[in-house]
Amino acid sequence: MYDLSCSDVALFGRMSRERKPGGRSVFITVGTTEFEKLTNAVCSSTVLSTLLNLGYRKVTVQIGRGKEPTIDRVPGIEVEIFKLKPNITEDINQADLVISHAGAGSCLETLAANKPLLVVINDDLMNNHQLELAYQLNKDKHLYYCTTRMYI
């Protein structure tokens, strides 16, 4: 298990090597819950700059029931935020990389779409079942995972 840092974002960001006209995109989802440590981290200039340097030009963040994060402005990268929608399949399919909480639905839908997946464990949860799921899917070489303890 890892702590999320910019070097982790860089490592996992390289999982999607295909170059696209206009740049690649990353989709971040927290499901129907709130996970402000993650949404705040990915909207920071440090993480956005790292993604930009890796060729990502669009970041879409689904914040669930959480508060809207402050988005640091980084020229060259577009950030879109939304709370909830009936279906995120299109967002997953359009992404070159997905960063997600460890909810079973989000993980399985992303893996079914054959997208590179970085799972961030919400280590503030009690009796954290998400850790067990992420550990097993990592052990089976389906995804990478980390926590938010030292995310930036």
Side-chain angles (χ1 to χ4, degrees):
M1 179 169 31
Y2 305 94
D3 290 323
L4 181 61
S5 68
C6 284
S7 60
D8 292 325
V9 172
L11 170 69
F12 302 122
R14 290 187 197 102
M15 293 189 314
S16 172
R17 298 223 181 251
E18 178 185 332
R19 293 285 177 192
K20 291 172 132 177
R24 297 181 291 172
S25 67
V26 60
F27 175 57
I28 295 95
T29 179
V30 301
T32 58
T33 185
E34 54 187 68
F35 192 179
E36 292 170 10
K37 280 185 179 179
L38 175 57
T39 57
N40 288 331
V42 298
C43 290
S44 71
S45 60
T46 307
V47 171
L48 293 173
S49 295
T50 299
L51 290 169
L52 181 65
N53 289 335
L54 292 167
Y56 291 90
R57 299 293 181 261
K58 182 174 182 185
V59 176
T60 303
V61 185
Q62 181 264 326
I63 63 170
R65 294 191 180 106
K67 295 177 186 168
E68 190 160 328
T70 300
I71 303 168
D72 291 344
R73 300 294 172 212
V74 175
I77 195 161
E78 171 191 349
V79 180
E80 175 186 323
I81 304 283
F82 69 91
K83 285 196 167 278
L84 296 168
K85 58 170 79 166
N87 191 319
I88 60 170
T89 301
E90 184 177 332
D91 297 288
I92 291 170
N93 288 335
Q94 289 180 355
D96 298 291
L97 171 67
V98 176
I99 300 174
S100 176
H101 72 128
S106 298
C107 290
L108 296 176
E109 187 171 0
T110 301
L111 294 173
N114 201 30
K115 297 294 179 170
L117 177 59
L118 169 60
V119 166
V120 181
I121 304 298
N122 187 345
D123 47 16
D124 290 337
L125 296 177
M126 299 287 288
N127 301 319
N128 199 339
H129 66 281
Q130 290 189 2
L131 179 58
E132 295 169 10
L133 176 65
Y135 173 80
Q136 187 60 50
L137 290 172
N138 173 265
K139 185 177 171 185
D140 295 341
K141 301 187 186 310
H142 295 295
L143 54 77
Y144 291 96
Y145 74 102
C146 62
T147 69
T148 58
R149 278 188 225 129
M150 297 176 65
Y151 50 89
I152 299 297

